[in-house]
């Protein structure tokens, strides 16, 4: 067996192991170590174990991941998000599907405080979905809205995925954060418009939206709007004014979130402890996949599969349109099965040489990749955001209901993706004015 | 048998608690440095301490807890369609692979930590910075994860169902 | 046919990957008539930068670039010699000297053997200079500035003149300068263009704050090295001699060109003020007075004086040898490296037990 054959066999075995419920990180890691051992020698495989986890985890740039997760969990555990959602709802009640549109807005706001799509979806699923179901919203629409809008968490800065992409592709994380902003807002707007149009055509989707708040009620609701905007402004403002770097912003955001919660009297010991435990557990859950994918990356690199693969694609054409099309197809297909972080790290070593060869802008390409990964978060059979919502709601909804509701949003995602590709300025304008 | 499960659960929790403390330390350490910077000062060694100590501890020590509670991301869809005994079979397979994987990591990282300690491993930054103690977080985390996997496996076989 | 993996953690375009690995690989294949086939990896696909030494030792890669500063506790001899980096500002003689000295000094050879690498050639960066957001040309202006430094000697000097030395990964240098969490960064001139630092640091001061050269640019796995035939080893030596000549010519050239390019883009290139130069001189002399103690106490070398003196003598020797030739003539430089260094090594015994 040649190294190339071993590489291909490794991919197949890893996919089978994942399918029979071996945790993804363990499947990738164990296949890679055995594969490297078979390709070279057991000594090299042991050497890879020595040379990988410690030096991978001990990276300053990656500290942003646990810190932004902790900040997000502090927000949800101390109920910093509810006030904003409630107020937006009271102001948008007249819109068709106003509650769903409010949820999109609240997700966009929360995304600006949270680094992760899954955390964004988890936070809003417990606040917004029960509210919508209570008002008789279609189950698919209610859950689909949150599953899809949760993915704004990775496009609107801060974003763990953008941090990982920046570290890997050696692109400035600050520039990536700026670049994701407008595409994130456009995604949110397109979701909202789609909801409004659909509800206009089929009003029953939105049940009986019977709240008619007085102006007094609306202004009363404004009192509790401030926590999230204050947090977001202090995090993004601090980065912009040069008080701290995007990497450090998560730690500052955590402290600010704690201070806000303390001011509102919601920073209980239980909330703080739960936020810590959840942040620790989800960080580790992410990093074990990361470590597995680093092993897998090395295994694939040694097998030369990525090189053959990119030669195959470049053999068809080296036109940038073809490459972007091929990349999109690869991500949408693999995204059905593989988690976003794993997929990102799995594919970058294959795709970056291609993209650099075609002379594409790496910041712009990063935004395209993140948007593609977001789509993977909500497509069956493995859609992490969908699982999160199902997990939060228990038996109120079934998985097929959620996946069905998400379908419309995926169609909108593809529309947004085409816009991002056709108009690079959407991604590159903000970073360019930042420079001047 | 019960004693073993209880012991390994206790280990998980202690390691998780240490990781949570590291998260708090990371937050405070970075914040202190940012505040000091505003006053043209610095907390010396923030980058080194946060990357090599807080980060390694916070990221790796909860592994056993995560493994025990099945918070390691895995794909349920296909397996859930299969009959119970087949599910159990795959679960046993997953445990065995996990045990071997984490066992190998524990063994090799243990050897590395020992070697690192003997030669008092440092990294160079603007000063000499010792990193050998941080290396011990790896065998500890991976070893505890082996215990957790084993405990899960025994529980699954005992109850004759996949966990 | 012998296939092997060669790894440099720098990006493919970086001079320390390009001349010593990316261009060198095909040259090896050609010189050996297809008998030696290096599989070149650049970047961190196979190994994290700090883990290269471990990777060489465990035969994950058969040859790799490993700066000693990444694993100081493993390479005290190389580190002691690196302490002199602050005193040199001419890369070419140091590049040749460190290569020669590292393959002949018994103390250094014993260290390579202990760490599990066969050293077959060195590298040297051009002097690190200052890239700043605002002009920093004199002692007054450097006060209170946060400067990214890459080593303990430089950071001591920065502290002495009232600056704040900070450690930031190179990936965050750009955003640090952009947003102002950093005032200056010290790096090789070529980084001004290659890392796009000119966009965020419009003021460069050509004050030399040291060079980096310790550790193997080519460190071979000893078992792999021993498995090669003497003919194969000779081919590797010959191709390495030329790669070193190319690196020596082009790294400095690119560093200088980068300054011109930056100036053309509207950056200002400042000469350091007299007080700044004088302060560096004074600091150099002070540290030179302590260099033997540093080698003996900080790095635990018993023969610190001998090691330091022999290294300095080798640099002096190459300063002399380079006077007679055109520094930009690749063939002449290659011949000098071959006759002075590689021809004196016996391919049948060098690096083999
Ligand atoms: Na976000
Ligand atoms: Na999916």
């Amino acid at each position: 067996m040649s190294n190339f054959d071993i590489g291909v066999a490794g991919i197949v075995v890893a996919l089978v192991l994942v399918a029979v419920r071996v945790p993804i990180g363990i499947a990738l890691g164990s296949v890679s170590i055995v594969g490297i051992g078979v390709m070279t020698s057991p000594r090299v495989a042991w050497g890879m174990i020595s040379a990988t986890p410690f030096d991978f985890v001990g990276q300053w740039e990656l500290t942003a991941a646990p810190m932004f997760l902790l900040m997000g969990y502090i927000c949800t555990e101390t109920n910093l998000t509810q006030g904003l959602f409630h107020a937006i709802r009271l102001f948008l009640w007249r819109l068709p599907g106003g509650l769903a549109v409010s949820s999109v807005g609240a997700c966009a706001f929360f995304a600006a405080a949270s680094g992760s799509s899954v955390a964004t979806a988890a936070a809003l699923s417990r606040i917004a979905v029960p509210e919508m179901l209570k008002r008789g919203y279609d189950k698919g629409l209610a859950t689909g809205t949150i599953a899809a809008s949760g993915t704004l968490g990775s496009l609107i800065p801060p974003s763990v995925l953008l941090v990982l992409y920046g570290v890997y592709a050696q692109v400035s994380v600050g520039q990536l954060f700026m670049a994701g902003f407008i595409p994130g807002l456009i995604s949110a707007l397109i979701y909202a418009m789609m909801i409004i149009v659909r509800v206009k055509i089929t009003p029953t989707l939105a049940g009986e939206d019977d709240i008619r708040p007085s102006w007094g009620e609306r202004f009363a609701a404004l009192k509790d709007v401030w926590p999230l905007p204050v947090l977001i402004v202090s995090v993004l403002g601090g980065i912009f004014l040069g008080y701290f770097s995007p990497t450090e912003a998560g730690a500052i955001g955590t402290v600010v979130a704690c201070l806000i919660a303390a001011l509102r009297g919601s920073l209980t010991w239980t909330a703080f402890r739960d936020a810590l435990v959840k942040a620790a557990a989800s960080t580790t859950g992410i990093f074990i996949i990361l470590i597995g994918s680093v092993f897998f990356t090395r295994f694939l690199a040694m097998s030369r599969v990525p090189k053959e693969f990119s030669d195959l694609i470049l053999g068809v054409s080296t036109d940038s349109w073809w490459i972007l099309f091929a990349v999109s197809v690869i991500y949408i297909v693999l995204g059905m099965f593989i988690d976003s972080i794993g997929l990102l790290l799995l594919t970058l070593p294959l795709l970056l040489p291609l993209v650099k060869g075609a002379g594409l802008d790496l910041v712009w390409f990063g935004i395209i990749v993140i948007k593609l990964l977001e789509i993977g978060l909500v497509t069956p059979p493995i859609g992490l955001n969908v699982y999160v919502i199902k997990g939060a709601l228990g038996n109120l909804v079934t998985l097929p209901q959620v996946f069905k509701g998400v379908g419309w949003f995926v169609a909108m995602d593809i529309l947004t993706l085409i816009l991002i590709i056709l108009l690079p300025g959407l991604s590159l304008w903000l970073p360019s004015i930042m420079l001047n | 048998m019960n004693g073993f499960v209880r012991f390994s659960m206790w280990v998980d929790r202690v390691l998780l608690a240490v990781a949570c403390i590291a998260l708090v330390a990371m937050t405070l350490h970075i914040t202190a440095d940012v505040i000091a910077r505003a006053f043209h000062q610095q907390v010396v060694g923030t980058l080194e301490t946060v990357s090599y100590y807080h980060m390694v501890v916070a990221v790796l020590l909860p592994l056993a807890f995560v493994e025990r509670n099945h918070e390691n991301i895995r794909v349920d869809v296909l397996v859930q369609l299969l009959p119970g005994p087949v599910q159990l079979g795959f679960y046993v397979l997953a445990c065995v692979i996990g045990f071997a994987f984490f066992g190998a990591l524990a063994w090799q990282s243990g050897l590395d930590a020992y070697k690192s300690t003997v030669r008092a491993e440092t990294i160079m930054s603007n000063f000499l910075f010792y990193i050998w103690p941080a290396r011990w977080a790896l065998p500890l985390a991976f070893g505890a994860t082996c215990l957790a996997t084993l405990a899960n496996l025994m529980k699954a076989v005992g109850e004759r169902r996949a966990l | 046919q012998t296939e092997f993996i060669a790894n440099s953690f720098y990006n493919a375009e970086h001079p320390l990957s390009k001349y010593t690995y990316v261009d060198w690989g095909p040259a090896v294949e050609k010189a050996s008539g297809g008998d030696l086939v290096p599989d070149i990896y650049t970047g961190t696909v196979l190994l994290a930068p700090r883990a290269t030494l471990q990777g060489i030792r465990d035969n994950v890669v058969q040859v790799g670039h490993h700066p000693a500063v990444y694993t100081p506790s493993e390479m005290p001899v190389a580190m002691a010699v690196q302490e002199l980096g602050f005193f040199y500002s001419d890369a070419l003689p140091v590049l040749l000297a460190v290569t020669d000295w590292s393959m002949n000094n018994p103390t250094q050879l014993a260290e390579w053997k202990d760490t599990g690498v066969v050293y077959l050639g060195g590298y040297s960066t051009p002097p690190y200079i200052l890239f700043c957001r605002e002009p920093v040309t004199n002692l007054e202006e450097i006060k209170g500035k946060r400067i990214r430094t890459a080593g303990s000697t430089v950071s001591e000097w920065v502290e002495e003149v009232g600056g704040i030395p900070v450690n930031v990964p190179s990936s965050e240098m750009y955003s640090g300068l952009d947003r102002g969490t950093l005032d200056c960064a010290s790096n090789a001139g070529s980084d001004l263009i290659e890392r796009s630092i000119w966009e965020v640091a419009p003021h460069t001061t050509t004050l030399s704050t040291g060079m980096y050269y310790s550790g193997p640019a080519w460190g071979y796995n000893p078992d792999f090295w021993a498995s090669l035939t003497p003919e194969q080893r000779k081919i590797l030596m010959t191709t390495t001699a030329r790669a070193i000549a190319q690196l020596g010519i082009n790294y400095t050239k690119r560093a200088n060109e980068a300054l011109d390019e930056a100036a053309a883009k509207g950056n200002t290139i400042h000469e350091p003020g007299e007080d700044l130069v004088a302060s560096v001189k004074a600091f150099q002399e002070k540290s030179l007075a302590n260099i033997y103690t540093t080698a003996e106490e900080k790095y635990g070398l018993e023969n610190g004086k001998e090691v330091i003196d022999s290294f300095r003598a080798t640099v002096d020797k190459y300063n002399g040898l380079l006077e007679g030739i055109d520094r930009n003539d690749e063939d002449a430089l290659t011949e000098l490296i071959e006759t002075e260094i590689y021809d004196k090594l016996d391919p049948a015994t060098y690096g083999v037990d």
Side-chain angles (χ1 to χ4, degrees), chain A residues 335-337 376-377 379 382-383:
Chain A
M336 292 177 181
F337 306 98
L377 278 177
T379 53
I382 299 168

Side-chain angles (χ1 to χ4, degrees), chain A residues 249-328:
Chain A
I252 306 297
T254 302
V255 172
V256 173
C258 286
L259 290 178
I260 293 173
L263 264 177
R264 294 175 73 245
S266 59
L267 186 67
T268 60
W269 165 245
T270 319
F272 183 67
R273 189 197 57 199
D274 287 355
L276 273 178
V277 168
K278 284 181 182 167
S282 49
T283 302
T284 304
I286 290 173
F287 268 78
I288 199 66
I289 295 186
L290 281 175
I291 292 171
S293 355
V294 173
F295 278 121
F296 202 56
T297 306
R298 290 174 182 176
F299 164 62
L300 286 185
M302 291 174 95
S303 75
R304 300 253 116 186
V305 168
K307 204 190 161 309
E308 301 284 331
F309 173 80
S310 61
D311 285 353
L312 192 75
I313 289 180
L314 285 173
V316 178
S317 160
T318 51
D319 193 65
S320 57
W321 288 105
W322 161 247
I323 288 173
L324 285 177
F325 174 75
V327 164
S328 303

Side-chain angles (χ1 to χ4, degrees), chain A residues 43-44 47-48 50-51 54-55 60-61 170 172 175 239-245 247 297-298 301-302 304 434-435, chain C residues 5 11 39-41 44-48 50-51 54 57-60 169 171-172 174 179-181 199-200 221 223:
Chain A
R43 179 175 161 205
V44 171
M48 234 6 151
S50 293
F54 184 79
D55 286 301
W60 168 254
E61 294 93 325
Q170 300 193 310
S172 148
Q175 284 199 39
I239 296 176
F240 188 80
L241 294 173
Y243 287 112
F244 40 81
S245 68
T247 308
T297 306
R298 290 174 182 176
M302 291 174 95
R304 300 253 116 186
M434 292 284 296
L435 278 178
Chain C
I5 296 180
N11 281 337
D39 201 357
I40 309 291
Y41 288 85
T44 54
V45 175
L46 281 191
L47 292 169
R50 244 184 50 80
Q54 183 112 44
R57 216 159 28 202
D58 292 330
N59 214 16
V60 174
S171 55
E172 295 209 337
Y174 181 96
R179 301 265 63 95
T181 51
E199 296 175 347
V200 290
N221 174 278
D223 294 341

Side-chain angles (χ1 to χ4, degrees), chain C residues 79-214:
Chain C
M79 287 304 298
V81 165
Q82 176 63 57
E83 286 285 330
L84 289 162
F86 199 63
F87 306 97
Y88 296 119
S89 54
D90 186 2
L92 190 56
V94 173
L95 167 63
L96 306 193
V98 78
T99 300
D100 183 336
W101 184 83
S102 299
M103 296 195 289
N104 289 294
N105 181 277
T107 315
Q108 181 66 85
L109 282 171
E111 177 169 283
W112 302 139
K113 197 167 175 183
D114 284 349
T115 37
V117 289
V118 176
Y119 181 107
L120 202 70
Y123 66 98
S124 174
T125 68
Y128 275 34
I129 53 181
L130 291 177
F131 309 133
C132 302
R133 286 161 59 88
E134 293 162 21
V136 172
T137 56
N138 54 44
L139 285 176
E140 190 50 43
E141 285 167 346
I142 206 169
K143 285 225 161 55
K145 294 285 189 296
R146 297 174 52 82
I147 301 176
R148 182 211 185 231
T149 53
S152 56
T153 324
V154 204
S155 71
E156 278 166 37
W157 171 74
V158 168
E159 237 163 28
E160 203 181 82
V161 294
I164 302 166
V166 285
N167 188 6
V168 165
S170 53
S171 55
E172 295 209 337
M173 211 156 52
Y174 181 96
S175 61
L177 287 165
D178 185 24
R179 301 265 63 95
T181 51
L182 277 180
D183 295 306
C184 300
S186 82
N187 253 89
S190 42
D191 289 306
L192 197 53
I193 297 297
E194 271 152 33
R195 295 183 186 275
S196 305
I197 291 176
W198 67 273
E199 296 175 347
V200 290
H203 297 278
T204 293
T205 305
T206 56
L207 176 75
S208 167
T209 62
M211 310 191 315
Y212 296 86
Y213 47 75
S214 70

Side-chain angles (χ1 to χ4, degrees), chain B residues 94-144:
Chain B
C95 285
V96 170
I97 292 177
F99 187 82
F101 178 64
F102 290 118
L105 291 186
W107 168 255
Q108 186 59 41
S109 62
L111 283 179
D112 293 338
Y114 172 74
K115 283 185 214 152
S116 162
T117 308
V118 168
R119 59 172 199 255
E121 190 184 11
T122 59
I123 52 158
M124 194 67 173
S125 77
N126 290 332
F127 45 86
L128 226 47
F129 185 82
Y130 288 95
I131 58 166
W132 62 264
R135 290 236 181 224
W136 287 101
L138 276 74
L140 208 60
F142 295 134

